Amino acid sequence: MPAIERPELLDLPARITSERIMLRPYRAGDGAAIFKAVDLDRQDLKRWVDWVDEYPEVVDSERYARRMHAKWLARESLVYGIWALDESELYGGISIHSFDWKVPMGEIGYFLHKEARGRGIATEALKLLTGMAMQVAGLNRLWATCDAANEASWRLLERVGYKREGHLRSERRTSHGNLRDTFVYAMLAREWPAERTPLA
Ligand SMILES: CC(C)(COP(=O)(O)OP(=O)(O)OC[C@H]1O[C@@H](n2cnc3c(N)ncnc32)[C@H](O)[C@@H]1OP(=O)(O)O)[C@@H](O)C(=O)NCCC(=O)NCCS
């Protein structure tokens, strides 16, 4: 895959669907659904991500939804809500951010609210987003980091076929003040044959 010179001109699907879920970029009006997903169990989420306290009110989530909509259009960050097919529920979010368009590559992030876990929804979302990134956007590499203690996260990455590339020891301090080890995972375009994600 060559470098991407003008990412703003990339044509990307605004909806990606599988049998059970639909990914679409956040937009104005999504704030209440995002707030509900985050607010369901803040303490649990805060163990693994550091942005929870940035959204104390629905209005903060609404501002986030609108900012992410703008960033999606500019191809600065591609943040998708993970929705039930009929949009009756937001299960969580998944994103590609921190792009380096010369490689081209980006970093993956995700979360599910607690009641949506344990059903393979994140697996489905990560497969869809990886397929879109490799087959449509033309990225060469997607990477992710996670706390070595976040077993659900690194098991998800391994289930989808991401390879562990590194184990960084005492690399970061958690929001609880403890030093943590970090795993680095990545997927390369050549490891992701097109037939793996027949995009709808
Ligand atoms: C990371 C996170 C998204 C993983 O969620 P998850 O529910 O474990 O992942 P999935 O939705 O893919 O579900 C997988 C589980 O469902 C089960 N499952 C049921 N049906 C399934 C299916 N059709 N396909 C795959 N797995 C299925 C799997 O066996 C697995 O269960 P197990 O963990 O007991 O083995 C979630 O733990 C989370 O949001 N954590 C907090 C935020 C976070 O850590 N973000 C990442 C920071 S690096």
Side-chain angles (χ1 to χ4, degrees):
M1 301 287 179
I4 295 174
E5 306 287 346
R6 299 178 187 84
E8 302 85 352
L9 300 182
L10 269 180
D11 279 326
L12 298 177
R15 284 168 69 96
I16 317 172
T17 55
S18 64
E19 274 172 25
R20 286 192 300 173
I21 59 166
M22 186 263 291
L23 306 184
R24 72 154 171 77
Y26 289 137
R27 61 185 180 217
D30 285 341
I34 299 170
F35 182 84
K36 191 175 167 202
V38 171
D39 205 48
L40 192 67
D41 193 337
R42 285 176 179 262
Q43 289 314 314
D44 170 75
L45 266 185
K46 276 167 79 166
R47 280 185 69 195
W48 308 118
V49 298
D50 56 12
W51 42 257
V52 177
D53 288 339
E54 291 169 31
Y55 310 100
E57 310 281 349
V58 174
V59 71
D60 304 302
S61 302
E62 181 61 23
R63 289 176 61 219
Y64 171 78
R66 293 176 189 214
R67 275 201 314 275
M68 292 310 115
H69 183 79
K71 282 177 182 270
W72 193 85
L73 289 174
R75 308 300 185 239
E76 286 175 14
S77 296
L78 301 178
V79 182
Y80 291 83
I82 306 171
W83 298 86
L85 271 183
D86 61 2
E87 285 195 48
S88 57
E89 186 181 351
L90 179 71
Y91 297 129
I94 187 162
S95 65
I96 312 177
H97 52 93
S98 306
F99 285 102
D100 179 338
W101 295 107
K102 287 200 185 77
V103 174
M105 69 175 182
E107 181 179 0
I108 293 270
Y110 41 76
F111 84 98
L112 289 182
H113 70 64
K114 220 171 168 186
E115 289 171 6
R117 296 182 201 161
R119 292 190 255 158
I121 289 171
T123 304
E124 227 164 283
L126 185 57
K127 281 183 183 166
L128 285 175
L129 197 64
T130 305
M132 191 282 291
M134 301 305 189
Q135 293 160 227
V136 184
L139 298 194
N140 272 317
R141 174 181 164 86
L142 282 174
W143 61 282
T145 66
C146 70
D147 187 331
N150 192 349
E151 194 175 334
S153 183
W154 59 256
R155 286 184 58 203
L156 162 67
L157 290 159
E158 291 189 355
R159 222 173 7 254
V160 177
Y162 283 65
K163 290 200 170 56
R164 188 184 296 175
E165 295 184 331
H167 179 168
L168 314 178
R169 297 168 302 154
S170 295
E171 180 265 349
R172 202 171 299 190
R173 208 170 275 285
T174 68
S175 55
H176 299 295
N178 306 315
L179 280 177
R180 70 168 230 195
D181 286 10
T182 293
F183 288 154
V184 180
Y185 278 84
M187 173 70 70
L188 303 183
R190 64 171 181 264
E191 296 166 343
W192 193 267
E195 59 274 16
R196 279 196 68 176
T197 327
L199 292 169

